[in-house]
């Protein structure tokens, strides 16, 4: 179980004139699926990257289960991230892409093998394990990225526009994969998208951002009901 609290978070990039994130406050409960929407450049990716520790926070804090996230050693942070461009290792097979993070852990070869094969089966990738990413379609590549995240047993799952490189039909089916994965893993999922319909369909709560601030936060029903 885990909950997430973002308190008075500010981010200013070194070369920027003003803050990109301005006093972000957010409370996310256990197992919630939260989407972040808003126009391009409003700070969605920055918020996610600050959360993941990929970007330095200027001021404020991120708490997971009440503990400052930056105090948790990176290898103990049960967090996984999926990006728009998949970020797969091109020279590695599907199997090794999915196993890569686990090989850095203390798990035995057999345990790693079991996890990778289980995830591959769930995602319909079993017959592609020996291929390289270049020999896969965009949808299959994104499922490899999901699988690589899934085997880490994350408690928090961060996704930055994971469907935006897929065609319309694949977007809908991969949506289902993501929702299923979220439910099975029982994670907190934070999902960045510019697609409002997607956010409405997938989320327990939606964050609407504009110019580095949170404009609205609520369930799809609550937001939909507003004038
Ligand atoms: P979004 O994900 O909502 O499109 P971003 O978080 O990518 O927005 O960007 C928010 C703002 O921060 C933009 O004005 C962007 O130009 C700026 N920005 C993003 N990354 C950097 C960076 N590494 N250095 C300086 N400015 C950046
Ligand atoms: P470990 O598996 O020991 O946590 P990694 O090198 O895999 O080490 O991760 C280092 C950092 O990369 C993590 O602390 C996390 O912030 C970030 N990260 C998390 N999930 C992923 C992912 N799926 N792909 C790339 N980086 C990730």
């Amino acid at each position: 179980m885990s909950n997430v609290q973002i308190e008075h978070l500010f981010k200013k990039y070194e070369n920027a004139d003003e803050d990109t994130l301005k006093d972000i406050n957010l409370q996310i409960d256990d197992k919630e699926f939260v989407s972040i929407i808003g126009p391009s450049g409003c700070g969605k990716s920055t918020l996610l990257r600050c959360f993941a520790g990929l970007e330095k926070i200027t001021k404020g804090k991120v708490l997971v289960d009440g503990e400052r996230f930056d105090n948790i050693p990176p290898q103990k942070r049960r967090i996984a991230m999926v990006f728009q461009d998949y970020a797969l290792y091109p020279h590695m097979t599907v199997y090794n892409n999915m196993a890569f993070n686990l090989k850095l852990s203390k798990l035995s070869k057999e345990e790693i093998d079991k996890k990778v094969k289980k995830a591959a089966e769930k995602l319909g990738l079993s017959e592609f394990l020996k291929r390289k990413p270049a020999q896969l379609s965009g949808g299959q590549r994104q499922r490899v990225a999901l699988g690589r995240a899934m085997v880490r047993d994350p408690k928090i799952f961060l996704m930055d526009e994971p469907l935006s490189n897929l065609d319309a039909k694949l977007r809908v089916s991969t949506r289902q994969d993501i929702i299923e994965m979220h439910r099975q893993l029982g994670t907190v999922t934070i999902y960045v998208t510019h697609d409002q319909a997607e956010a409405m369909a997938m989320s327990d709560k939606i964050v609407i951002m504009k110019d580095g601030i949170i404009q609205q936060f609520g369930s799809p029903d609550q937001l939909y009901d507003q004038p």
Side-chain angles (χ1 to χ4, degrees):
M1 109 128 206
S2 51
N3 64 70
V4 168
Q5 228 163 321
I6 297 175
E7 289 181 0
H8 301 296
L9 179 75
F10 289 79
K11 172 66 186 177
K12 185 177 177 303
Y13 286 108
E14 250 170 54
N15 51 356
D17 296 334
E18 57 171 302
D19 293 333
T20 292
L21 298 177
K22 303 158 191 159
D23 200 11
I24 298 288
N25 293 281
L26 194 59
Q27 159 95 40
I28 301 175
D29 293 329
D30 192 30
K31 296 189 171 58
E32 269 187 338
F33 193 115
V34 175
S35 289
I36 304 178
I37 61 176
S40 179
C42 72
K44 304 183 294 296
S45 289
T46 300
L47 180 55
L48 215 60
R49 293 169 58 80
C50 282
F51 194 120
L54 300 171
E55 207 61 75
K56 212 169 151 254
I57 290 169
T58 305
K59 212 163 68 175
K61 54 192 172 184
V62 174
L63 303 172
V64 173
D65 295 332
E67 192 177 354
R68 271 189 75 128
F69 200 54
D70 51 0
N71 285 343
I72 304 173
Q75 64 275 18
K76 291 213 170 125
R77 295 177 195 170
R78 302 246 326 255
I79 185 170
M81 188 152 172
V82 170
F83 305 91
Q84 176 175 353
D85 59 1
Y86 326 128
L88 299 177
Y89 303 109
H91 58 290
M92 286 186 202
T93 61
V94 167
Y95 184 97
N96 284 329
N97 263 287
M98 286 169 66
F100 183 75
N101 285 311
L102 298 179
K103 286 183 179 167
L104 306 172
S105 71
K106 291 193 192 80
L107 291 177
S108 71
K109 249 185 146 154
E110 289 73 29
E111 285 169 307
I112 293 175
D113 193 62
K114 217 170 124 190
K115 276 175 179 280
V116 169
K117 288 189 173 148
K118 194 173 150 201
E121 200 189 319
K122 273 201 182 120
L123 292 164
L125 292 169
S126 298
E127 58 192 293
F128 305 119
L129 288 172
K130 291 196 174 122
R131 291 206 196 169
K132 302 266 176 71
Q135 300 166 305
L136 299 174
S137 70
Q140 289 164 343
R141 278 180 222 169
Q142 193 53 294
R143 290 212 297 282
V144 176
L146 291 176
R148 183 178 56 184
M150 189 191 275
V151 297
R152 295 165 64 99
D153 278 330
K155 291 206 294 182
I156 298 169
F157 201 4
L158 306 177
M159 296 197 242
D160 195 351
E161 306 244 10
L163 307 183
S164 54
N165 283 335
L166 306 181
D167 64 38
K169 204 172 139 205
L170 259 177
R171 275 210 296 274
V172 173
S173 62
T174 312
R175 241 190 224 179
Q176 285 311 316
D177 290 337
I178 289 172
I179 292 173
E180 193 127 314
M181 188 164 150
H182 163 81
R183 291 206 185 117
Q184 279 181 6
L185 296 174
T187 56
V188 162
T189 300
I190 308 179
Y191 185 91
V192 166
T193 177
H194 60 264
D195 184 335
Q196 189 174 347
E198 200 171 281
M200 286 286 188
M202 296 174 82
S203 321
D204 298 312
K205 302 255 179 72
I206 297 176
V207 173
I208 301 178
M209 281 185 73
K210 197 184 170 192
D211 296 336
I213 63 163
I214 293 180
Q215 229 181 12
Q216 288 186 60
F217 177 55
S219 68
D221 286 348
Q222 283 169 338
L223 298 180
Y224 192 70
D225 282 343
Q226 293 194 357

